[in-house]
Amino acid sequence: MKKLILPLSFTLLTACQTTEQQSVQRDLANNPNAADNLDIYQALIVDETADVVHPVADVDIPLGDNSILASDNIWVRIQNQLTFEVPENRTVAVHRNWYARHQSYLDRVSKRAEPFLYYITEELEKNDMPLELVLLPIVESAYDPFAYSHGSAAGMWQFLSGTGKQFGLKLDWWYDGRRDVAASTQAAIDYLKYLNKRFDGDWLLALAAYNSGQGRVSRAMKRNKKKGLPTDFWSLDLPKETRDYVPKLLALTALLKEPEKYNITFKPIANKPVISKVEIGSQLDLLLAADMAGLTIEELHALNPGFNRWATAPDGPHYLLLPNHKVESFKSQLSELPDEKRLTWQRYKIRSGDSLSVIASKYNTTTKVIRQVNKLSSNRIRAGKYLLIPTATKSLDRYESLEKLAVAKASKKGSGNKLTYTVKKGDTLWDIGRLYKVSSRDIAKWNGFGPKDTLRLGQKLTIYTKLAQASSVSAGNSNTMRNINYKVKSGDSLARIANKFNVKISDIEKWNNLSRNNYLQPGQMLKLSVNITSI
């Protein structure tokens, strides 16, 4: 994300500003001595708070009895095992002073960390990792598993998709392992262990590589070595973001070591497990799971942010994180739930012109799921046959928090005239892009999904186009018909061509004197009469 310097006086907040930024702005506005430290604030106000976007409001998760004795505070357990030396240099001091001035920010971060901090601490200890790494999600995401960056990193540990997959994180239409706290924590541990070994046990270099890539750090070390210069972190020529990244972690370490010295506190968190991983065996409707757990869908999603849709992923993972005091009741109800009631099933009669992608879009699922359920070896289907389709148990507006996240997590603003397009039967991103003279990849980017994701009937898409009459392209000329010649490509079928041009199979047959039993041949020319605004 591009970093901006905010002025001392500000009255307007942009749409993407986070709660943290607003808090800092209030602090500046109310601090009579702010001008004395303006250079520091200008350098840091966005660095500490706006590297990522927080698309989902914080949820107060019920964790049962969380009364805490002073001796049972997990921050004390972590504090007693800190080993990093914190140098007294200006960069660390500047970041340390920023955190120390913003107790409300530290409180928010601790509140987000509360359900997960014991689990992360335990996993780090099991792997003989320094407990300073407990603080890394503060630097990465402010401990927000829903956080994403406009550089396409996501989750509490801010994995890019490629790196995530390299370290075992699944990523598909149903599920994003980068946001799964348990899965991403294990992946982060594996990645950091690898980097630490790669840089001969130097944790500062490993952390720099976690932020900017091992290749960049290695090249910086190689340049210094050629010049006869030291190759420690502080001596390397690295990007500004990385030169700030490691000092931020060290600044937080200094505060946790001596909170009284800097007049700050870390909100006490119980030194005991408050959530458990519960195996569920197979795909399960998330609203049904929330009801059985005695949680709202928002509370369940806050603990299980990896799920993108109305149900857990068909191919797993098949577990949920739940508050400990909810586990037994949930397990009891789940054990009594018949397999066929984990999801709602629709029996669908295939119509002429249907395709699996159109049917999947209609029922908010994927072609892969329909194929698996119906034991289909390909996407070919025949009119008159029936399909079983798993669907949400409730209307989709009940799953609003999940659907909002699927759009919000990566959407970007474009340039040109902005309009809203409603997806119609047979639409594809390629067709819509051609209509508005934009790329399908851009449409996906503007709406926060992948270029290969399935469109839904009635789905609203934001589109930016340079067409002068963009707002009327799909409405004002709805009766504009054109006769065209279409050259059949390898893999084409009548159904596929009908979907592409939003026409009926029977019409293609009539226009070309074809029988449905005739096979199309690559290179064959077909006459089509199409509405150019609805292609």
Side-chain angles (χ1 to χ4, degrees):
M1 173 186 275
K2 186 178 179 180
K3 298 177 182 178
L4 305 175
I5 301 301
L6 301 183
L8 182 59
S9 298
F10 24 86
T11 55
L12 298 177
L13 300 178
T14 64
C16 66
Q17 278 181 312
T18 63
T19 306
E20 282 82 5
Q21 285 173 283
Q22 296 174 30
S23 170
V24 174
Q25 291 181 354
R26 285 194 298 272
D27 288 350
L28 273 177
N30 296 328
N31 182 357
N33 298 317
D36 296 339
N37 300 298
L38 183 56
D39 61 327
I40 293 177
Y41 273 110
Q42 283 183 323
L44 292 174
I45 187 169
V46 177
D47 283 10
E48 310 293 3
T49 63
D51 288 341
V52 296
V53 177
H54 304 278
V56 176
D58 290 345
V59 174
D60 193 5
I61 303 169
L63 297 174
D65 179 17
N66 56 358
S67 55
I68 304 166
L69 298 174
S71 58
D72 290 332
N73 182 358
I74 197 167
W75 288 119
V76 175
R77 171 182 171 183
I78 296 166
Q79 182 186 57
N80 290 337
Q81 299 182 69
L82 298 176
T83 58
F84 283 9
E85 289 186 16
V86 181
E88 273 296 331
N89 64 41
R90 184 181 183 279
T91 311
V92 172
V94 163
H95 291 288
R96 183 193 63 212
N97 293 342
W98 188 95
Y99 287 123
R101 288 189 182 101
H102 295 92
Q103 179 66 54
S104 61
Y105 174 74
L106 295 176
D107 290 343
R108 253 189 317 281
V109 166
S110 290
K111 184 64 177 173
R112 288 179 187 147
E114 186 174 12
F116 312 115
L117 192 60
Y118 181 89
Y119 169 80
I120 293 172
T121 302
E122 286 276 303
E123 292 303 307
L124 288 171
E125 287 182 341
K126 284 179 193 174
N127 286 275
D128 196 26
M129 305 278 275
L131 288 194
E132 282 85 354
L133 299 179
V134 159
L135 303 169
L136 194 58
I138 301 180
V139 180
E140 285 286 354
S141 65
Y143 254 103
D144 183 0
F146 292 104
Y148 68 88
S149 74
H150 287 310
S152 300
M156 184 182 291
W157 297 93
Q158 287 291 287
F159 272 99
L160 293 169
S161 59
T163 311
K165 288 176 182 177
Q166 185 181 347
F167 286 89
L169 295 178
K170 292 177 63 176
L171 178 60
D172 58 30
W173 190 79
W174 294 91
Y175 168 81
D176 188 339
R178 298 174 301 169
R179 296 201 313 268
D180 182 321
V181 174
S184 66
T185 296
Q186 190 56 58
I189 288 172
D190 291 344
Y191 188 23
L192 286 163
K193 284 172 74 174
Y194 162 78
L195 291 172
N196 180 250
K197 184 178 180 181
R198 167 71 179 76
F199 291 100
D200 300 322
D202 188 319
W203 275 110
L204 299 194
L205 292 176
L207 288 164
Y210 188 89
N211 175 253
S212 64
Q214 59 180 316
R216 178 172 280 163
V217 174
S218 294
R219 288 191 295 273
M221 293 175 70
K222 191 174 180 180
R223 286 194 300 268
N224 274 25
K225 198 170 182 179
K226 275 187 176 180
K227 298 175 183 177
L229 298 173
T231 57
D232 62 286
F233 167 77
W234 303 103
S235 302
L236 299 182
D237 181 16
L238 294 168
K240 183 182 184 305
E241 179 187 335
T242 308
R243 295 199 307 271
D244 284 331
Y245 179 86
V246 173
K248 286 179 186 180
L249 183 74
L250 295 174
L252 288 163
T253 300
L255 293 177
L256 185 54
K257 277 183 175 180
E258 300 179 283
E260 299 86 0
K261 177 178 177 180
Y262 300 104
N263 195 29
I264 60 102
T265 60
F266 283 80
K267 180 183 176 293
I269 294 175
N271 185 22
K272 62 181 182 181
V274 291
I275 57 172
S276 294
K277 184 188 285 189
V278 179
E279 298 295 331
I280 58 173
S282 61
Q283 190 175 26
L284 181 64
D285 185 293
L286 286 172
L287 194 57
L288 182 60
D291 289 343
M292 290 192 295
L295 300 170
T296 66
I297 186 68
E298 290 79 16
E299 290 165 348
L300 182 72
H301 197 208
L303 288 170
N304 300 276
F307 295 115
N308 294 331
R309 308 293 169 181
W310 50 268
T312 60
D315 297 328
H318 297 308
Y319 62 76
L320 292 172
L321 297 182
L322 297 176
N324 284 347
H325 68 294
K326 303 282 189 180
V327 168
E328 287 309 313
S329 174
F330 175 83
K331 283 183 174 179
S332 175
Q333 294 179 70
L334 183 64
S335 67
E336 296 174 2
L337 184 70
D339 287 348
E340 65 271 15
K341 291 193 175 179
R342 285 172 163 258
L343 308 167
T344 297
W345 296 88
Q346 293 281 347
R347 188 167 183 259
Y348 178 80
K349 185 175 182 180
I350 301 169
R351 300 183 179 90
S352 176
D354 272 344
S355 68
L356 280 189
S357 61
V358 169
I359 298 169
S361 173
K362 180 177 180 180
Y363 289 100
N364 198 33
T365 186
T366 63
T367 56
K368 181 181 178 183
V369 168
I370 297 177
R371 285 201 311 270
Q372 287 176 336
V373 168
N374 293 276
K375 296 182 171 58
L376 300 176
S377 59
S378 71
N379 285 349
R380 295 185 66 178
I381 54 177
R382 290 176 58 188
K385 297 291 186 181
Y386 287 88
L387 294 172
L388 275 179
I389 302 172
T391 62
T393 59
K394 307 290 183 183
S395 63
L396 285 177
D397 58 1
R398 294 285 304 277
Y399 305 80
E400 185 178 17
S401 66
L402 288 87
E403 292 298 316
K404 276 184 177 177
L405 177 65
V407 172
K409 66 181 180 180
S411 57
K412 298 184 182 180
K413 188 175 180 180
S415 59
N417 298 317
K418 180 182 177 181
L419 61 96
T420 300
Y421 178 86
T422 302
V423 175
K424 301 187 293 294
K425 181 179 178 181
D427 275 346
T428 67
L429 280 183
W430 183 83
D431 294 331
I432 299 168
R434 191 173 65 162
L435 177 64
Y436 292 106
K437 309 296 183 188
V438 296
S439 73
S440 56
R441 187 170 293 278
D442 280 340
I443 297 176
K445 179 176 66 177
W446 297 328
N447 292 276
F449 54 75
K452 295 183 180 179
D453 283 3
T454 305
L455 297 178
R456 299 195 315 272
L457 288 174
Q459 183 177 355
K460 305 289 187 185
L461 299 179
T462 297
I463 295 174
Y464 297 89
T465 178
K466 297 194 178 349
L467 293 178
Q469 302 298 322
S471 61
S472 62
V473 167
S474 61
N477 303 314
S478 59
N479 295 318
T480 303
M481 304 298 295
R482 293 287 185 273
N483 294 324
I484 65 171
N485 292 319
Y486 176 78
K487 188 175 183 179
V488 175
K489 301 177 180 64
S490 177
D492 269 349
S493 66
L494 288 176
R496 184 171 184 176
I497 296 168
N499 283 333
K500 180 178 288 188
F501 293 97
N502 202 21
V503 297
K504 296 179 181 177
I505 293 177
S506 57
D507 285 337
I508 298 177
E509 292 172 329
K510 181 175 65 178
W511 297 328
N512 295 275
N513 296 318
L514 294 175
S515 164
R516 201 158 305 193
N517 295 325
N518 294 139
Y519 287 101
L520 296 178
Q521 300 296 326
Q524 182 179 349
M525 301 301 296
L526 296 179
K527 296 176 183 178
L528 304 176
S529 181
V530 302
N531 181 335
I532 62 170
T533 66
S534 64
I535 295 173

